[in-house]
Amino acid sequence: MTDMDWAGWHDAYDVPGSPLERRLQVVRKWIGTALDAGAERVVSLCSGQGRDLLPVLAAHPGRDRVRARLVELDERNVAAARRAAPPGVEVVRGDAALLGAYAGAVPADLVLACGVFGNVSDDDVRRTVGLLPQLCAPEATVIWTRHRHEPDLFPRICEWFEESGFERVRVESDGYGVGEHRYTGPPVALEPDARMFTFVSPH
């Protein structure tokens, strides 16, 4: 874990027109689509303050049927998310890199990996993508993000998803990158002791 101010990192969400604010709007729109399609079990990796999922879920007519688990290590972000969480949402303070953090909440219909892939090594991005099927129900949606700065890993991440049993649904880039993939592979048992990634300096 780095010494980044992960609570202050969220401030860019409040800057109109910033890449992070525009990215957030795309992620929220796609979350809404997944909820409209019937997603009922949701997990969010490194969920921060839950600004992507929680406002969408709170306003969604199907919110009462949804059960979500947000996993976040920073205690200030956890506190903020818990204040905003509607009923049915569990905000856990813990290491989101450990698959065991999701035991009892998976297989999920919607998996959020937003703000993760720009903060881990390329090898760990690939490893995480390869392990994500353990969190996914059949036909689960994964929404993920990664910046488009050089060296641009975004196209390779799409390939890694598709090599791991996912099909591409859509991608969007405008100073940011957002991807949506659907899991089409077989059920995969959870390995609770497995680690997906280790945070490094943002890149």
Side-chain angles (χ1 to χ4, degrees):
M1 195 67 176
T2 72
D3 57 3
M4 169 73 73
D5 178 1
W6 292 110
W9 179 88
H10 289 73
D11 292 346
Y13 280 135
D14 300 321
V15 178
S18 71
L20 200 58
E21 191 270 343
R22 298 198 311 274
R23 188 189 85 178
L24 178 63
Q25 297 309 316
V26 173
V27 171
R28 285 177 172 174
K29 178 175 68 175
W30 292 3
I31 289 172
T33 299
L35 295 176
D36 290 344
E40 295 187 352
R41 301 187 80 180
V42 184
V43 295
S44 179
L45 290 65
C46 301
S47 57
Q49 297 173 3
R51 294 202 194 185
D52 45 13
L53 173 66
L54 297 181
V56 179
L57 184 56
H60 196 273
R63 60 186 176 273
D64 291 342
R65 59 175 167 74
V66 175
R67 296 294 176 266
R69 179 178 296 176
L70 282 60
V71 183
E72 167 64 29
L73 192 58
D74 186 278
E75 61 184 9
R76 295 164 299 168
N77 287 336
V78 168
R82 285 175 175 165
R83 288 192 296 269
V89 174
E90 178 187 18
V91 182
V92 174
R93 183 172 185 238
D95 188 347
L98 295 175
L99 286 172
Y102 308 93
V106 294
D109 306 308
L110 174 61
V111 177
L112 304 177
C114 301
V116 177
F117 293 159
N119 296 289
V120 305
S121 71
D122 294 358
D123 286 344
D124 274 1
V125 174
R126 186 169 191 173
R127 173 175 173 78
T128 299
V129 171
L131 290 172
L132 283 178
Q134 297 187 31
L135 303 182
C136 292
E139 300 299 312
T141 294
V142 177
I143 299 173
W144 57 276
T145 63
R146 163 78 184 207
H147 62 73
R148 301 304 306 266
H149 306 153
E150 294 297 338
D152 185 5
L153 194 65
F154 194 92
R156 290 292 293 134
I157 297 174
C158 288
E159 292 174 2
W160 293 336
F161 267 100
E162 289 142 27
E163 291 167 1
S164 300
F166 294 86
E167 65 177 15
R168 190 180 314 193
V169 177
R170 51 187 166 176
V171 298
E172 185 161 329
S173 299
D174 182 13
Y176 55 81
V178 185
E180 180 178 333
H181 279 76
R182 179 180 298 111
Y183 184 58
T184 58
V188 181
L190 190 71
E191 302 174 76
D193 295 330
R195 171 174 287 276
M196 292 182 279
F197 54 81
T198 299
F199 261 40
V200 296
S201 297
H203 60 290

